[in-house]
Amino acid sequence: MNLRLRLFLLFLVAAFVPLGAFGYVVQSGLVEQLEEDHRRQLETRASSARRRIDEMRAADRRAVDALCEHDLVIDRVLLDLATDRFDPAAEQNLVALLPPMMRGRRFDTLHLVDARSGADRGRVLGAGHHPEQVGMRAPELLDALTRAQDRAFVQNVRVVDPSGTHEERTWLAGCMVQRDGAAIAVLGGRFLRDDLAQTLLGDISPVSLGLEAVLDDAGAETIATFDDASGDPVVALVATIDDAPLRAGVDAMRERSLLIALGALAAALLMALLVTWSLTRPLRELEEATRRVAGGDLESQVSERTGEVGRTMRAFNEMTKELASTRTKLLRAERIAAWREVARRIAHEIKNPLQPIQMEIETMRKLHARKHPSFDEEFGPSTLVILEEVRRLNEMVTEFSKFARLPRPNAEALDLREVVEHVASLHGSSGASLEVESPDEPLVVRADRSQFTQVLVNLVQNAGDAAESRHGATGGTVRLVLTPTEDGAELRIEDNGPGIAPDDRLKVFEPYFTTKAKGTGLGLAIVHRIVGDHGGSVDVEDGIDGGAAFVIQLPRSGPPQEIAASLSDTALPLGRPE
């Protein structure tokens, strides 16, 4: 994972995670607040309904007690019963009076039941909700009132309405009044229907009230329970709240939170991209510049900026300037040192032929001064020695002049296969055999045709001489292999000669180092310089059957500019060769 991606992920996490955590906390708090408001609304409505139920119970109890204590109609019925004057006329009169009394006290039912012992016990004296029940018997009402002991209770009561006669579940409050030997049970009731919720609270959405069987429903709030005469719960008034608005609100909030989170993510992505780009752009520029420097371009510079990065950029530019200056100085120092070493070796090589020349001249001078009779006899051989040594000096100076005045490469698009085929055609049929391997497709690099022809001729000639020195006129083998590489080409010239000792492999490219009896020691030095001027490298490896192999790595791009410049800056004029 590269630096840019790591920085991008780091800034993305640093920007989005705190924002996402904050959004999650806020959303959770808002959802909890909505749910709390939802529960509070249910509790508030339930408390209000419970209070109304308690008020209704108290009002019904007061109304029933008032009827039993001091109501004129009830007193008249008691008097009629006590004096045996409760006749059909009194019943009809009571039928007319009970409905207004019932509605005035907001009862749905109103019973007057004979509570005396005897044959008439339980006879209905009047029913404001169902006049046809007058004269019928309802002893179960008396029994229930007795068991309830002044508590309101639930009892099924027969009623009549436009749909017909049927029983209705009714919440009854009653009392017993006795006077002058007469006894009457007064029972006022309310229908336990679903419209009781409308009576208590009206239509308040999303809270709703309803009558249900007495069950443990965790999702509902119980307002009140209604017991039968024995005290057992029969039905409950419960408050429920519709969760749909809450769920819709929560879903809407989550959708908005998701949109906000996506927007925050997009903003975090953009911010992370901008920050990463602003931080890594100079680093990438510095990386590219460093790669160019590693490739040899010491003139590479980067644009300077402010701040910490700017100081790094300025330090890099100063470093490359210093490196370029140092490299130029080193190249010049190396050139001077190389020429000093060459001069030392030249002086040593020139000194060797000068000594026999000096000796022969001194011998001839002595013989000539003495008029020695053998002067004429010694003159011929001595001059031959002198001429041979002068010839050696001339060859040495000529080779050195070629090495010193080697021109800069004149690079052009060159198909190395053509150079290989040309060198192969120059190789004679006698001596070591030459085997050539090259690709079928053109292998083009930028190189100097003449110089690279010279390189291959020198290496092939040296390989042939090495093979012949080991195997004689026949049996020697030289192999020239050209293969493409990722960056250019590889040339391999190998032989089956005696090979090169490991200790000598570091010296073979030095000027005037040779293992041949007649060699000048400049051929491989020239090869090394030409290959180096083209930005390539040449190394010595093992060849065929213990022989030697010279391996050239050549870049496709050709001679680097800095190498050409260094050649022009540091070349030492040696004069015209003879």
Side-chain angles (χ1 to χ4, degrees):
M1 186 181 297
N2 58 32
L3 177 62
R4 176 171 293 183
L5 181 56
R6 290 198 301 270
L7 285 176
F8 173 75
L9 294 177
L10 176 62
F11 285 118
L12 179 61
V13 171
F16 181 71
V17 169
L19 185 60
F22 176 75
Y24 176 77
V25 171
V26 171
Q27 175 183 306
S28 299
L30 291 175
V31 170
E32 290 180 0
Q33 184 64 40
L34 284 176
E35 292 177 346
E36 181 64 26
D37 292 342
H38 201 64
R39 290 191 296 270
R40 189 179 297 112
Q41 187 177 12
L42 176 60
E43 292 174 358
T44 300
R45 300 304 182 190
S47 298
S48 176
R50 194 174 293 114
R51 186 170 56 254
R52 293 291 302 275
I53 285 289
D54 293 339
E55 292 174 355
M56 186 175 66
R57 282 177 171 173
D60 290 351
R61 172 50 58 187
R62 287 193 301 269
V64 170
D65 289 344
L67 289 174
C68 291
E69 292 175 0
H70 49 72
D71 186 80
L72 294 177
V73 175
I74 302 301
D75 292 343
R76 180 63 181 267
V77 173
L78 283 171
L79 181 60
D80 288 343
L81 288 176
T83 58
D84 292 329
R85 288 185 296 180
F86 191 77
D87 54 14
E91 287 183 354
Q92 291 301 319
N93 185 41
L94 191 58
V95 169
L97 291 175
L98 284 183
M101 290 176 60
M102 179 183 68
R103 290 191 293 269
R105 288 157 180 79
R106 297 184 179 180
F107 287 135
D108 295 320
T109 66
L110 181 59
H111 285 90
L112 295 181
V113 181
D114 191 346
R116 296 175 297 175
S117 59
D120 291 332
R121 186 179 186 278
R123 183 169 66 92
V124 177
L125 302 176
H129 59 286
H130 193 354
E132 289 79 3
Q133 284 187 334
V134 175
M136 299 179 65
R137 298 181 62 81
E140 68 276 4
L141 291 178
L142 292 177
D143 295 338
L145 181 60
T146 302
R147 291 197 306 271
Q149 299 179 352
D150 295 333
R151 290 183 293 101
F153 60 92
V154 177
Q155 185 78 20
N156 287 334
V157 175
R158 183 168 293 278
V159 299
V160 63
D161 56 24
S163 63
T165 302
H166 60 279
E167 289 188 348
E168 189 77 39
R169 187 168 55 189
T170 308
W171 184 30
L172 297 172
C175 60
M176 192 83 69
V177 58
Q178 296 180 2
R179 196 174 301 152
D180 299 329
I184 298 175
V186 180
L187 298 102
R190 294 179 183 269
F191 295 145
L192 292 181
R193 296 174 177 171
D194 290 335
D195 58 0
L196 179 62
Q198 299 291 332
T199 304
L200 293 174
L201 292 180
D203 185 12
I204 302 177
S205 180
V207 178
S208 61
L209 300 179
L211 292 168
E212 298 181 2
V214 179
L215 298 173
D216 185 12
D217 188 356
E221 182 78 13
T222 301
I223 305 300
T225 57
F226 301 93
D227 305 334
D228 59 13
S230 300
D232 297 327
V234 176
V235 69
L237 179 65
V238 297
T240 58
I241 188 167
D242 186 7
D243 289 340
L246 174 63
R247 299 276 74 84
V250 171
D251 291 342
M253 180 181 297
R254 286 175 176 165
E255 289 179 1
R256 290 194 296 269
S257 299
L258 179 60
L259 292 176
I260 294 173
L262 291 176
L265 178 60
L269 284 171
L270 180 60
M271 183 173 67
L273 285 174
L274 292 177
V275 173
T276 303
W277 182 80
S278 63
L279 287 180
T280 59
R281 182 184 178 188
L283 295 179
R284 290 296 297 272
E285 184 178 353
L286 186 62
E287 179 184 356
E288 293 295 329
T290 304
R291 188 177 291 109
R292 292 196 298 271
V293 170
D297 182 13
L298 298 185
E299 302 295 332
S300 180
Q301 296 282 298
V302 294
S303 57
E304 297 184 1
R305 292 175 173 81
T306 59
E308 299 288 341
V309 177
R311 287 196 291 272
T312 303
M313 296 298 191
R314 288 192 294 273
F316 177 83
N317 290 338
E318 293 173 359
M319 179 196 70
T320 55
K321 291 178 182 177
E322 185 66 24
L323 284 176
S325 175
T326 302
R327 184 189 62 182
T328 302
K329 294 177 182 179
L330 287 175
L331 285 174
R332 290 174 178 173
E334 289 175 358
R335 293 280 178 176
I336 292 173
W339 284 115
R340 285 176 179 173
E341 178 64 18
V342 171
R344 184 184 67 80
R345 290 178 178 269
I346 280 285
H348 177 75
E349 294 295 331
I350 291 177
K351 185 178 181 180
N352 289 334
L354 286 179
Q355 185 175 4
I357 291 175
Q358 180 181 359
M359 292 177 61
E360 293 297 330
I361 291 176
E362 288 178 353
T363 300
M364 286 190 297
R365 284 176 58 85
K366 290 179 181 179
L367 293 174
H368 184 269
R370 296 174 184 177
K371 304 295 184 179
H372 198 281
S374 63
F375 175 81
D376 293 335
E377 182 180 350
E378 294 292 334
F379 182 79
S382 296
T383 55
L384 289 177
V385 170
I386 293 172
L387 289 175
E388 177 63 23
E389 296 301 325
V390 169
R391 184 189 63 78
R392 286 179 57 201
L393 284 173
N394 185 58
E395 290 179 357
M396 191 182 307
V397 171
T398 300
E399 290 295 324
F400 175 74
S401 177
K402 290 180 180 180
F403 174 70
R405 296 179 60 84
L406 191 66
R408 287 184 296 173
N410 183 19
E412 60 179 336
L414 177 64
D415 186 358
L416 291 178
R417 297 185 311 164
E418 298 179 0
V419 178
V420 170
E421 293 173 358
H422 176 67
V423 172
S425 66
L426 295 178
H427 186 74
S429 57
S430 61
S433 62
L434 177 62
E435 300 176 1
V436 177
E437 297 180 13
S438 60
D440 297 332
E441 300 295 328
L443 185 50
V444 179
V445 299
R446 287 185 52 78
D448 187 303
R449 180 185 296 271
S450 176
Q451 290 187 7
F452 247 86
T453 301
Q454 181 180 358
V455 166
L456 293 185
V457 168
N458 285 352
L459 292 178
V460 170
Q461 182 62 47
N462 287 347
D465 293 344
E468 290 181 15
S469 68
R470 181 179 179 182
H471 298 280
T474 61
T477 301
V478 177
R479 184 178 298 150
L480 177 55
V481 181
L482 172 64
T483 56
T485 63
E486 182 179 355
D487 298 328
E490 178 184 281
L491 284 160
R492 186 180 183 90
I493 301 93
E494 52 186 359
D495 59 66
N496 61 348
I500 301 175
D503 293 340
D504 292 340
R505 291 183 181 183
L506 300 176
K507 304 176 183 178
V508 293
F509 298 112
E510 294 180 2
Y512 296 100
F513 177 84
T514 181
T515 57
K516 296 181 181 181
K518 299 181 180 181
T520 62
L522 290 175
L524 290 179
I526 292 174
V527 168
H528 187 270
R529 175 170 174 178
I530 291 175
V531 173
D533 289 349
H534 281 78
S537 63
V538 56
D539 296 302
V540 182
E541 298 179 359
D542 293 331
I544 305 171
D545 191 20
F550 288 83
V551 181
I552 299 173
Q553 299 289 341
L554 192 62
R556 186 178 292 104
S557 56
Q561 294 182 355
E562 63 271 13
I563 290 180
S566 67
L567 288 174
S568 62
D569 291 342
T570 60
L572 297 179
L574 298 179
R576 292 183 60 185
E578 296 296 333

